[in-house]
Amino acid sequence: MLFSRHIFSCNFKTAATLPAFKGSIIRGMLGWALRQTACALRRSDCTACLLLTRCVYAKAFETIAPQYHHSKKTPPHPYVLEPPLSETREYQADDSFEVALLLFGEMTQYLPYFIYAFEQMGEAGLGSSREQGPARFTLIRVSCEGDTIYDQASKTLRPSRQPISLHLPPPPTGAECSRLRVSLVTPLRIKHLNTFARELPFHVLVRAMLRRISSMFAQYGDGEPKLDYPGLVKRAQDVSINSQHLRWKDWTRYSARQQQAMQFGGLVGEIVYEGCLTEYLPLFELCTVLHVGKQSVFGLGQMDYTQEPC
């Protein structure tokens, strides 16, 4: 599965008041701007549009794929936003912020559309300003792996490195991993037994990682990885929790489609697992990129991990 990660560096032109978690508002405005940029027929219903399979907006925000046409499953989107982690709400003119945009599969070819959409977002404004309405910003530069590939001064997109091929690596050889510290950087929203998990047994996290990996590779890669899915889940039940410092964190987003505020929440903090963990390291390696759980496109489900000595 092809993958690329780009950092969008921006400066506010005016004062701004933003939510503590900014992923939802950025994603909403990005969808609006991308549709303004890419929609040729100006239809309100993408599913009836003749250009559905060719439009970058539809591919990104109204994701429909052949394998899901006759299924009730909702396909994953081909991108993930990583908004600023700071919960700062008040910004002044000239304050800066960065947003990471992760693209998967063929969506890696459409970076110029996203750059132009970000510029349109800046002109329209983001959030609200105490004095002048929505806060406008300038896209200063876009970088990839440390190299500037676009800047506001030249308005030129420079050649960048080719997207990398994301794959499931084999488990490491050598020393066995028996203790793992997992950090939930942004709220993790996963369902187990039809309810959102407020505790995180290892097998619940493994199920979520397997779902995310299999759906992404089925949609944007060469098919689901050949894994012993039942065996991985069964063996995960033998992994214990050594220590944990998790808490439930609520956040509110406004849905433009439903025209109402919606309450979301998820687990944040750290948890240390203990047991036979080596075979699960490739899953964690992938999911630090893919994110895990619901609303991952907003930036939720971002996590990190470290091996610890026993």
Side-chain angles (χ1 to χ4, degrees):
M1 178 170 62
L2 295 179
F3 162 70
S4 60
R5 185 175 189 268
H6 309 276
I7 306 297
F8 288 67
S9 302
C10 309
N11 276 10
F12 279 111
K13 293 180 179 180
T14 58
T17 300
L18 298 180
F21 182 78
K22 302 160 186 67
S24 177
I25 193 171
I26 293 173
R27 193 249 188 178
M29 284 300 298
L30 177 61
W32 170 85
L34 195 60
R35 185 164 190 160
Q36 295 297 310
T37 299
C39 181
L41 301 184
R42 302 302 182 199
R43 291 175 177 256
S44 59
D45 181 11
C46 289
T47 60
C49 181
L50 180 66
L51 303 179
L52 175 65
T53 60
R54 295 288 183 240
C55 174
V56 60
Y57 168 79
K59 287 175 179 288
F61 283 81
E62 306 289 344
T63 310
I64 298 174
Q67 60 264 46
Y68 287 94
H69 278 170
H70 304 291
S71 171
K72 293 182 179 180
K73 291 183 179 180
T74 301
H77 295 286
Y79 70 97
V80 166
L81 289 168
E82 291 182 345
L85 293 177
S86 169
E87 295 189 3
T88 300
R89 299 198 61 203
E90 301 296 332
Y91 292 84
Q92 303 300 320
D94 294 328
D95 283 350
S96 62
F97 67 98
E98 290 186 341
V99 179
L101 174 67
L102 286 61
L103 300 175
F104 302 96
E106 70 167 336
M107 194 55 57
T108 57
Q109 304 171 20
Y110 292 95
L111 177 63
Y113 286 90
F114 286 93
I115 292 176
Y116 185 73
F118 256 83
E119 292 189 324
Q120 296 303 299
M121 287 167 60
E123 291 299 319
L126 190 67
S128 61
S129 168
R130 292 183 294 272
E131 299 174 354
Q132 301 175 3
R136 295 179 297 116
F137 64 86
T138 300
L139 175 62
I140 302 299
R141 75 182 64 86
V142 179
S143 57
C144 179
E145 297 185 12
D147 296 329
T148 297
I149 59 174
Y150 179 85
D151 64 84
Q152 188 268 341
S154 67
K155 298 284 187 181
T156 301
L157 182 61
R158 304 177 182 88
S160 62
R161 300 180 186 181
Q162 292 297 311
I164 67 171
S165 180
L166 205 60
H167 63 277
L168 185 70
T173 58
E176 294 291 313
C177 174
S178 57
R179 185 176 292 175
L180 200 66
R181 179 179 296 274
V182 178
S183 300
L184 306 181
V185 181
T186 58
L188 174 66
R189 291 171 52 81
I190 56 178
K191 276 191 170 183
H192 181 59
L193 300 178
N194 208 32
T195 187
F196 282 105
R198 289 179 176 259
E199 296 181 346
L200 201 57
F202 190 65
H203 72 92
V204 172
L205 180 56
V206 167
R207 291 171 193 267
M209 290 193 294
L210 289 173
R211 284 195 299 269
R212 178 65 170 164
I213 290 169
S214 63
S215 64
M216 288 294 288
F217 276 83
Q219 185 83 349
Y220 305 114
D222 296 325
E224 294 184 19
K226 295 180 180 180
L227 291 169
D228 177 16
Y229 291 89
L232 285 166
V233 172
K234 182 178 180 180
R235 292 187 292 276
Q237 295 178 16
D238 295 328
V239 174
S240 61
I241 296 174
N242 177 275
S243 63
Q244 59 181 318
H245 301 280
L246 298 178
R247 62 187 177 90
W248 185 265
K249 185 172 184 177
D250 280 313
W251 64 283
T252 303
R253 67 173 288 253
Y254 181 79
S255 172
R257 286 190 176 185
Q258 301 186 36
Q259 296 187 342
Q260 63 178 345
M262 305 176 68
Q263 194 71 19
F264 286 79
L267 289 170
V268 295
E270 291 189 337
I271 186 168
V272 178
Y273 295 108
E274 195 166 85
C276 298
L277 295 161
T278 305
E279 67 176 325
Y280 298 99
L281 294 180
L283 306 184
F284 281 97
E285 187 69 19
L286 268 182
C287 286
T288 57
V289 175
L290 299 178
H291 293 216
V292 183
K294 295 183 178 295
Q295 284 77 45
S296 57
V297 293
F298 298 154
L300 297 191
Q302 183 178 352
M303 66 179 186
D304 202 358
Y305 74 98
T306 54
Q307 298 183 51
E308 291 198 339
C310 293

